[in-house]
């Protein structure tokens, strides 16, 4: 069965967990044009819906893209503008993996402008429509809403950044995407845990954090880019590791709950 473009669970809390890179679906017409490396969809933010089950149980809304970021990256601007000018990054419709492997076969052209526009309409726009609509629904019930951008990544990717990433990379677009009290609440919870962390460093927040984080309008966005080795094996078939997840989940849950408490103090 063909999955929907997005999956949404609606909750009652002023909290929306957004998982834009969790999609694992890569339909056959795309796979036929792509390399064996691309078909592994290795750059997926694996298992985040499962990792954030605690938020769903709390009463948060959870939105996830179901199609691979190799089709289109819904956390990039629709015009393809770079979020980090001057640095190596992947684009709106990626042609290379994070480690620099070609995603399209030599005899299969990557998407041109027309195909990119089609992918924006078919895959990018539905995610943003659902995101806006859910934020609007929550804002009708609450004066302030927290948009928590859930991401994960390999902590060593020499092509994209030097050295080793900290375990927990918090992004608030240098404080512009949320109220200062929420930023401090996320820092406090991260600091109380046993994991390394940083804020607004290599990952300041993607398009969703930057575009939707409007604290003056009651929407506060915080991104958490986790080192995925904290909860899974990074080799194929990329399995979830209950033992590792059990170690990091208390800190992640504390970060979400602490930031939500700071939000509720604004209500």
């Amino acid at each position: 069965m063909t999955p929907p473009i997005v999956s949404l669970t609606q909750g009652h809390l002023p909290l929306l967990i957004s998982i834009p890179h969790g999609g694992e679906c890569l339909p056959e017409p795309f796979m036929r044009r792509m390399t064996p490396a691309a078909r592994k969809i290795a750059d997926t933010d694996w298992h985040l819906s499962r990792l954030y089950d605690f938020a769903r149980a709390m009463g948060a809304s959870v939105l996830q893209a179901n199609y691979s970021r190799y089709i289109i990256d819904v956390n990039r601007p629709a015009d393809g503008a770079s979020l980090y000018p001057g640095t190596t990054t992947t684009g709106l419709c990626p042609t290379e993996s994070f480690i620099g492997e070609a995603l399209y076969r030599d005899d299969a052209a990557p998407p041109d402008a027309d195909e990119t526009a089609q992918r924006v309409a078919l895959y990018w726009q539905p995610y943003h429509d659902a995101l806006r609509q859910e934020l609007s629904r929550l804002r009708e019930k609450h004066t302030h809403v927290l948009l928590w951008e859930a991401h994960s990544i390999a902590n060593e990717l020499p092509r994209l950044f030097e050295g080793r990433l900290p375990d927990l990379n918090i992004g608030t677009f240098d404080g512009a995407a949320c109220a200062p009290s929420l930023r401090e609440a996320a820092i406090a919870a991260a600091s109380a845990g046993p994991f390394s962390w940083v804020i607004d460093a290599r990952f300041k927040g993607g398009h969703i954090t930057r575009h939707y984080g409007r604290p003056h309008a009651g929407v506060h966005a915080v991104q958490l880019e986790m080192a995925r080795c904290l909860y899974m094996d990074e080799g194929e078939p990329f399995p979830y590791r209950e033992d590792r997840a059990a170690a990091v989940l208390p800190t992640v849950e504390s970060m979400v709950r602490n930031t939500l408490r700071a939000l509720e103090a604004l209500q």
Side-chain angles (χ1 to χ4, degrees), residues 98-261:
F98 285 174
I99 64 173
E101 297 170 308
L103 299 183
Y104 290 86
R105 300 193 333 258
D106 291 341
D107 60 348
D112 59 15
D114 288 341
E115 184 180 355
T116 297
Q118 290 175 348
R119 294 188 190 188
V120 168
L122 291 174
Y123 298 99
W124 189 96
Q125 195 62 56
Y127 194 85
H128 288 268
D129 288 345
L131 185 58
R132 277 193 297 270
Q133 289 165 14
E134 185 59 11
L135 288 173
S136 178
R137 185 186 76 85
L138 294 174
R139 279 283 286 114
E140 289 177 359
K141 300 175 181 294
H142 307 278
T143 305
H144 295 272
V145 173
L146 172 59
L147 170 60
W148 187 273
E149 269 288 288
H151 296 263
S152 67
I153 194 170
N155 59 2
E156 291 189 45
L157 286 169
R159 178 171 174 266
L160 299 184
F161 48 80
E162 294 182 1
R164 183 183 177 93
L165 279 178
D167 296 325
L168 305 171
N169 300 268
I170 308 165
T172 67
F173 196 27
D174 291 326
C178 67
S181 60
L182 274 70
R183 190 174 189 268
E184 293 306 312
I187 291 172
S191 300
F195 303 96
S196 61
W197 64 274
V198 70
I199 189 160
D200 290 320
R202 175 61 180 84
F203 294 98
K204 298 178 183 294
H207 172 67
I208 292 172
T209 300
R210 302 179 190 203
H211 182 75
Y212 293 95
R214 295 287 184 270
H216 61 277
V219 177
H220 305 256
V222 175
Q223 176 177 296
L224 177 59
E225 185 88 57
M226 297 176 58
R228 61 188 189 182
C229 62
L230 296 178
Y231 68 89
M232 61 173 279
D233 281 340
E234 297 195 70
E236 291 183 79
F238 311 110
Y240 189 81
R241 287 283 301 271
E242 291 277 5
D243 55 335
R244 295 181 186 176
V248 74
L249 268 170
T251 297
V252 175
E253 183 170 350
S254 177
M255 292 177 70
V256 172
R257 288 184 180 275
N258 209 41
T259 308
L260 183 61
R261 280 194 290 270

Side-chain angles (χ1 to χ4, degrees), residues 15-84:
L15 172 61
L16 172 58
I17 308 293
S18 165
I19 309 175
H21 294 151
E24 299 177 30
C25 184
L26 190 63
E28 181 63 29
F30 293 102
M31 286 198 291
R32 284 198 296 267
R33 298 166 58 189
M34 290 182 155
T35 61
R39 295 171 196 168
K40 297 176 183 178
I41 56 170
D43 296 327
T44 302
D45 289 7
W46 299 97
H47 310 299
L48 285 184
S49 181
R50 180 176 180 178
L51 192 76
Y52 280 90
D53 269 344
F54 73 86
R56 193 180 284 106
M58 285 167 52
S61 297
V62 180
L63 176 67
Q64 176 171 314
N66 290 323
Y67 286 77
S68 173
R69 68 188 301 165
Y70 287 170
I71 298 174
I72 195 164
D73 189 335
V74 300
N75 199 31
R76 299 288 187 272
D79 63 2
S82 176
L83 295 171
Y84 297 97

